[in-house]
Amino acid sequence: MKDAAAKKRLAELAEIVGPAHVVTDPQVLEGHLVERRGLYHGRALAMVRPGATEEIARLLHYCNETRLAVVPQGGNTGLVGGQIPDQSGAEIILSLQRMNTVREVDPLSNVMVVEAGVTLAAAQEAAERADRLFPLSLASEGTCTIGGNLSTNAGGVGVVAYGNARDLALGLEVVLANGAVISGLSKLRKDNTGYDLKDLFIGAEGTLGVISAASLKLFPRPRAMATAFAGIPDPAAALKLLALARDFVGHGVSSFELLPRIGLDFVLRHAPGSRDPLSSPHPWYVLIELSAQQSGRLEDTLAELLAAAMEQGIVADAAIAATLDQRNAFWRLREDMSDAQRPEGGSIKHDVSVPVSATAAFIAEASAAVQNFMPDARVVAFGHLGDGNIHFNVSQPVDADKAAFLDRWREMNAVVHAVVKRYGGSISAEHGIGQLKRALLAETKDPAALDVMRLIKAALDPNGVLNPGKVL
Amino acid sequence: MKDAAAKKRLAELAEIVGPAHVVTDPQVLEGHLVERRGLYHGRALAMVRPGATEEIARLLHYCNETRLAVVPQGGNTGLVGGQIPDQSGAEIILSLQRMNTVREVDPLSNVMVVEAGVTLAAAQEAAERADRLFPLSLASEGTCTIGGNLSTNAGGVGVVAYGNARDLALGLEVVLANGAVISGLSKLRKDNTGYDLKDLFIGAEGTLGVISAASLKLFPRPRAMATAFAGIPDPAAALKLLALARDFVGHGVSSFELLPRIGLDFVLRHAPGSRDPLSSPHPWYVLIELSAQQSGRLEDTLAELLAAAMEQGIVADAAIAATLDQRNAFWRLREDMSDAQRPEGGSIKHDVSVPVSATAAFIAEASAAVQNFMPDARVVAFGHLGDGNIHFNVSQPVDADKAAFLDRWREMNAVVHAVVKRYGGSISAEHGIGQLKRALLAETKDPAALDVMRLIKAALDPNGVLNPGKVL
């Protein structure tokens, strides 16, 4: 863009949000142009920070009229490049971070209304102050925002009991490409008046509209929790344990995470202060947590469950957390599993899901396929077994060249995704499409579904100003 | 339509589905041209009964090319006329009833795949045979079909714990207006690959595509249930009891229904064999049911809950069902409440919802507004308090003229809906829009949302052949 034209645009943007909120300082901008894995590094005309829905509406109207492309951004924690502008320098970042008000908490209706820029942690805390639970929980919760969580339909460790971000939203306020505002901050549990537009914007990664606020479901805060770390022979045993746990307590299974020994080894090696919770090593582990409203008997129930599982040969050994510190230590082993792969060299990631019943077979087949493709590669498959969502990561062979290993990213993907496809799985279980998986989506998605997606995109954003080059 | 043209069409339809499945016999057709309240009575060129997804695809392609309007129909139990053709006689009914195969039950993944014409009761039974629960439950479950349940996002008595039909669908197979098929029968709990099209078709009442099959969530079958009938002073007490119950057992509150004394009186008067479960009358009642995986302590928990509620003055008296027969008798009082209004004369219905915390205030204000409008009218407000969904029905004054009373349907609606609006409520909580509330939707819906609905309808059904004149 010519300097004079750019200057004019910046002045016009400043008229909408105020000069202080049109950021062009390269040092401030830099942190918003690159995501944490460093896979995408864009440029931008400016970052614009509206402070009210009405400003977002005027901003989008202006951008639509002048064909100025808009990249919505929350906490910039996305892992597929959806929040990063392209290389042209002609796009603007629309930061939602000033939209950070918790508008209302209604504990009797079990609803809260928050703006898009509220961090997930702040939303959790607002719920807690009203003696309620907002159950979305993920590693980046201190930084990621509700708007980003909804735009990417975030998952995390609470999905097995409470569902994805989508399942936690009752209503949305959305600004459309033309600046019109859908005021849909419903507090209703039931409303069958017309098409479900809310779910169209959730998971659309800012390509159909900009979510400015949301009404979210709250839940009673569990009074009791019981957590165990169990050693098991293989993922098939984890599936049996899951079925048994559900038979024991149903919805009370609030987390169910699968961990491989190699992942635990990485954590024990690299995370200071970490300790193996069991006295001898096991090939696989499950971190299981039960929740209930009534305290008292929950630890007994967990102990009974584990005893039954041991009797059936499902579980080899297990430790129940006796203190909150012990519970936190168990959880840190799970949470450090991603970071502990970094010091081991390059890691090629696959965020995939398969039907829950197929997870064990999938892990076995995909691991064999990887070994066949690259014999010394180290598979680290872990994650949310209760949802069939496996973070199927592959660490480089010991002492291999990191760059040469990472050069084979796409080939490795093809090897793993071929197995995913055979099981009717998803090539993006929780991280979304963004830029990273856009080509892959075009190759793998049902063609009729892709056509409908394109029709909807054309209908809602005819000028293509909303996050172009993402998803579709 | 001219006879010759009609004949040609019928012959072409017969080529697609076979002559036996193009029904024109007036006696067979009649049952499909009118719904059970008798509010809508249409005509049709024929009822066409495809037996496979591929036939539906060819049928819709043909209809789209020849501009033949299609009215999808399942069990014909809808209450807003969505499944009834217009008066022209130029539309066809697309009956899904031959699509009645349970394709798969996968208890380990907690998923089953069923075709659209499977009745809700048959789906429940298929789940039960695999020791699983499919928790959607409503009065018409013996007749209504999964396709209709999804197309109208059905509610019912299990919503408080398990959600609406929408919340129970993992994926859909949908035939689009042009005959293309979206093969989306996902068994995945997590899949963030592109826009959420599934939820666009759910609740769209057949105006965007025809649902031919669905993959549905299953749950562990509760091993224990405890049911009580509690007398309370007013709806505000019901809200307090609900909060207390959730604090006691959280997700274990599997039903929570509010009933007024007048409704119980109607049932006791007109339903043979019905008995008042409590020794003296109370102004209002709650039917509460708890579910759990572990038997043993659940009745104790319910007794403790009711004792605590009595101590706090929330509950005046209560009976816990000691036998399955008693439980069924409690539920019949609730289930007979709609039918028991019929012998009392005309009844003007409102299927509305408000935020849960506003239900008591809503009932009080709407009742006062009705009394003000028509002093001797008898309000019978009952329903799913746990979801904020009240069936706010108004029976005619004793000995009034039924026809004259029913002539004031729209005026009465306006009186009640004005209060609904004040509380941010919905004018159709679970029955949908169909023909009955189409004009009301245009008046009450957020204008930006209506615009987006119209854009999507135009994009997906450009020739307007899918259930025209419904919803929009």
Side-chain angles (χ1 to χ4, degrees):
Chain A
M1 198 178 297
K2 295 271 170 55
D3 269 8
K7 239 184 193 160
K8 179 165 176 285
R9 291 216 142 171
L10 293 172
E12 286 165 345
L13 292 169
E15 267 177 43
I16 297 170
V17 296
H21 300 301
V22 178
V23 178
T24 53
D25 179 339
Q27 281 190 298
V28 181
L29 263 187
E30 179 57 18
H32 298 270
L33 295 172
V34 60
E35 36 71 67
R36 63 182 278 251
R37 282 185 190 165
L39 293 177
Y40 296 98
H41 196 152
R43 295 172 58 225
L45 179 65
M47 177 170 70
V48 182
R49 302 163 14 106
T53 305
E54 152 55 13
E55 286 182 8
I56 302 174
R58 284 167 58 207
L59 184 64
L60 289 196
H61 178 77
Y62 169 80
C63 293
N64 193 45
E65 293 295 315
T66 61
R67 310 294 190 266
L68 177 55
V70 176
V71 181
Q73 190 179 91
N76 190 16
T77 59
L79 295 170
V80 290
Q83 75 280 22
I84 302 297
D86 68 13
Q87 306 285 334
S88 69
E91 303 187 328
I92 62 165
I93 294 171
L94 193 175
S95 168
L96 278 304
Q97 292 199 297
R98 285 179 65 221
M99 299 286 295
N100 60 358
T101 304
V102 175
R103 291 192 191 162
E104 184 187 358
V105 181
D106 176 350
L108 197 49
S109 295
N110 279 313
V111 181
M112 71 177 169
V113 180
V114 305
E115 291 182 347
V118 171
T119 64
L120 174 51
Q124 291 166 345
E125 283 156 22
E128 201 170 318
R129 279 194 298 274
D131 195 27
R132 290 292 180 274
L133 173 73
F134 181 63
L136 193 67
S137 176
L138 30 131
S140 60
E141 61 198 24
T143 312
C144 66
T145 60
I146 293 295
N149 294 152
L150 291 171
S151 291
T152 59
N153 186 28
V157 295
V159 176
V160 66
Y162 297 99
N164 297 298
R166 177 185 308 289
D167 302 301
L168 302 173
L170 284 174
L172 300 180
E173 182 183 86
V174 178
V175 186
L176 301 172
N178 64 6
V181 178
I182 297 183
S183 300
L185 292 172
S186 167
K187 292 170 68 179
L188 306 176
R189 297 278 157 172
K190 284 168 114 172
D191 181 17
N192 278 346
T193 56
Y195 304 158
D196 175 26
L197 302 181
K198 162 178 78 71
D199 285 303
L200 200 54
F201 296 105
I202 295 175
E205 305 184 24
T207 62
L208 298 179
V210 174
I211 296 172
S212 52
S215 46
L216 302 171
K217 290 184 194 170
L218 300 177
F219 296 82
R221 250 155 64 79
R223 306 292 177 210
M225 259 188 225
T227 312
F229 203 90
I232 55 171
D234 51 36
L239 278 179
K240 287 181 199 153
L241 182 60
L242 176 64
L244 195 65
R246 286 215 163 114
D247 196 50
F248 260 66
V249 295
H251 187 264
V253 183
S254 50
S255 288
F256 197 92
E257 300 286 309
L258 178 73
L259 315 172
R261 178 68 209 184
I262 186 173
L264 184 60
D265 281 338
F266 286 5
V267 172
L268 296 175
R269 201 177 298 156
H270 303 294
S274 56
R275 281 187 42 208
D276 191 333
L278 302 179
S279 54
S280 62
H282 299 270
W284 291 85
Y285 299 90
V286 163
L287 176 60
I288 178 173
E289 191 159 273
L290 309 184
S291 300
Q293 293 311 109
Q294 309 263 353
S295 54
R297 269 178 44 89
L298 194 63
E299 280 186 21
D300 296 349
T301 304
L302 181 56
E304 284 163 30
L305 165 66
L306 291 169
M310 284 187 195
E311 207 164 288
Q312 294 175 40
I314 296 169
V315 166
D317 190 13
I320 295 181
T323 65
L324 194 59
D325 276 353
Q326 250 179 14
R327 172 185 180 255
N328 293 341
F330 288 180
W331 270 105
R332 264 199 310 279
L333 296 173
R334 165 65 184 86
E335 281 157 8
D336 288 340
M337 196 147 289
S338 288
D339 285 347
Q341 290 163 53
R342 212 165 296 154
E344 294 287 332
S347 170
I348 298 177
K349 316 283 187 184
H350 308 83
D351 167 41
V352 301
S353 68
V354 292
V356 173
S357 63
T359 41
F362 163 74
I363 290 173
E365 281 184 43
S367 300
V370 166
Q371 295 308 326
N372 190 45
F373 172 67
M374 193 186 286
D376 295 326
R378 295 170 295 167
V379 171
V380 185
F382 66 104
H384 319 299
L385 190 81
D387 322 317
N389 177 194
I390 305 297
H391 297 296
F392 193 91
N393 296 347
V394 184
S395 279
Q396 66 172 62
V398 176
D399 297 331
D401 180 70
K402 180 174 171 180
F405 172 76
L406 290 178
D407 275 348
R408 308 193 71 180
W409 189 294
R410 276 173 196 281
E411 286 171 83
M412 184 72 81
N413 279 182
V415 167
V416 173
H417 290 153
V419 187
V420 171
K421 194 179 173 188
R422 223 159 45 236
Y423 283 99
S426 168
I427 52 103
S428 186
E430 61 177 14
H431 297 163
I433 300 300
Q435 304 181 52
L436 182 65
K437 296 185 178 174
R438 191 182 163 214
L440 199 56
L441 181 75
E443 290 161 23
T444 55
K445 189 83 176 173
D446 179 273
L450 262 183
D451 282 347
V452 172
M453 284 174 59
R454 291 193 188 107
L455 286 171
I456 290 172
K457 171 71 176 177
L460 267 67
D461 180 23
N463 298 329
V465 296
L466 292 177
N467 217 4
K470 314 294 164 57
V471 185
L472 283 171
Chain B
M1 199 177 299
K2 295 269 170 57
D3 269 8
K7 241 184 192 160
K8 180 165 175 287
R9 292 217 140 169
L10 293 172
E12 286 165 344
L13 292 169
E15 266 176 46
I16 298 171
V17 296
H21 301 300
V22 178
V23 178
T24 53
D25 178 340
Q27 280 190 299
V28 181
L29 264 186
E30 179 57 19
H32 298 270
L33 295 172
V34 59
E35 37 70 67
R36 62 182 280 252
R37 283 184 189 163
L39 293 175
Y40 297 97
H41 197 152
R43 295 171 59 224
L45 178 65
M47 176 169 72
V48 182
R49 301 162 16 106
T53 305
E54 151 58 10
E55 286 182 7
I56 302 175
R58 284 167 58 206
L59 184 65
L60 289 195
H61 182 260
Y62 169 80
C63 292
N64 192 45
E65 292 296 313
T66 60
R67 309 295 190 265
L68 176 57
V70 175
V71 181
Q73 190 179 92
N76 190 16
T77 60
L79 294 169
V80 291
Q83 75 280 22
I84 302 296
D86 68 14
Q87 307 285 334
S88 69
E91 302 186 328
I92 62 165
I93 295 172
L94 193 175
S95 167
L96 278 303
Q97 292 199 298
R98 285 180 65 221
M99 299 285 296
N100 61 358
T101 303
V102 175
R103 291 192 193 163
E104 184 187 357
V105 180
D106 176 350
L108 198 49
S109 294
N110 279 312
V111 181
M112 70 177 169
V113 180
V114 305
E115 292 182 346
V118 170
T119 64
L120 175 50
Q124 292 165 347
E125 283 155 22
E128 202 171 317
R129 278 194 298 274
D131 195 28
R132 290 293 180 272
L133 173 73
F134 180 63
L136 193 67
S137 176
L138 30 130
S140 60
E141 60 198 23
T143 312
C144 66
T145 60
I146 293 297
N149 295 152
L150 292 170
S151 291
T152 59
N153 186 25
V157 295
V159 176
V160 67
Y162 297 97
N164 297 297
R166 178 185 307 290
D167 301 301
L168 302 174
L170 283 174
L172 300 180
E173 181 183 87
V174 178
V175 186
L176 301 173
N178 64 7
V181 178
I182 298 183
S183 299
L185 292 173
S186 168
K187 291 169 68 178
L188 306 176
R189 298 278 156 172
K190 286 168 112 172
D191 181 17
N192 279 345
T193 55
Y195 304 158
D196 175 26
L197 302 181
K198 161 178 79 73
D199 285 303
L200 200 54
F201 296 104
I202 294 175
E205 305 184 25
T207 63
L208 298 178
V210 174
I211 297 172
S212 52
S215 47
L216 303 171
K217 290 184 195 170
L218 299 178
F219 295 83
R221 251 155 64 78
R223 306 291 178 209
M225 261 189 221
T227 313
F229 204 88
I232 54 171
D234 51 37
L239 277 179
K240 287 181 199 152
L241 181 60
L242 176 64
L244 194 65
R246 286 214 163 114
D247 196 49
F248 260 65
V249 294
H251 186 265
V253 182
S254 50
S255 289
F256 197 94
E257 300 286 310
L258 178 73
L259 316 171
R261 179 67 209 182
I262 185 173
L264 184 61
D265 280 339
F266 285 5
V267 172
L268 296 175
R269 199 177 299 157
H270 303 294
S274 56
R275 282 187 43 209
D276 191 334
L278 302 178
S279 54
S280 62
H282 300 270
W284 292 84
Y285 300 90
V286 163
L287 175 60
I288 179 175
E289 191 159 274
L290 310 184
S291 300
Q293 292 312 107
Q294 309 263 355
S295 55
R297 269 177 45 88
L298 193 64
E299 280 187 20
D300 296 349
T301 304
L302 181 56
E304 285 163 29
L305 165 66
L306 292 169
M310 283 187 192
E311 207 164 287
Q312 294 175 39
I314 296 169
V315 166
D317 190 13
I320 295 180
T323 64
L324 193 61
D325 275 356
Q326 249 179 15
R327 172 184 179 255
N328 292 341
F330 288 179
W331 270 106
R332 265 199 310 279
L333 296 173
R334 164 66 184 86
E335 280 157 9
D336 288 339
M337 196 146 289
S338 288
D339 284 348
Q341 290 163 54
R342 211 165 298 154
E344 294 287 331
S347 171
I348 298 176
K349 315 284 188 187
H350 308 83
D351 167 39
V352 301
S353 68
V354 293
V356 173
S357 62
T359 41
F362 164 75
I363 291 172
E365 281 183 43
S367 300
V370 166
Q371 296 307 327
N372 189 45
F373 171 68
M374 194 187 286
D376 296 326
R378 296 170 294 167
V379 170
V380 185
F382 65 104
H384 319 299
L385 190 82
D387 323 316
N389 177 195
I390 305 296
H391 297 295
F392 193 91
N393 295 347
V394 184
S395 278
Q396 66 172 63
V398 176
D399 298 331
D401 179 70
K402 180 175 171 180
F405 172 76
L406 290 179
D407 275 348
R408 306 193 71 180
W409 190 294
R410 277 173 195 282
E411 287 171 83
M412 184 71 81
N413 280 182
V415 168
V416 174
H417 290 154
V419 186
V420 171
K421 193 178 174 187
R422 223 159 45 237
Y423 283 99
S426 167
I427 51 103
S428 187
E430 60 176 14
H431 297 163
I433 300 300
Q435 305 181 51
L436 182 66
K437 295 185 176 173
R438 190 179 163 217
L440 198 55
L441 182 75
E443 289 162 22
T444 54
K445 189 81 178 175
D446 179 272
L450 262 184
D451 283 346
V452 172
M453 284 174 59
R454 291 191 189 107
L455 286 172
I456 290 172
K457 171 69 176 176
L460 268 67
D461 181 22
N463 298 329
V465 295
L466 291 176
N467 218 1
K470 314 292 165 59
V471 185
L472 284 171

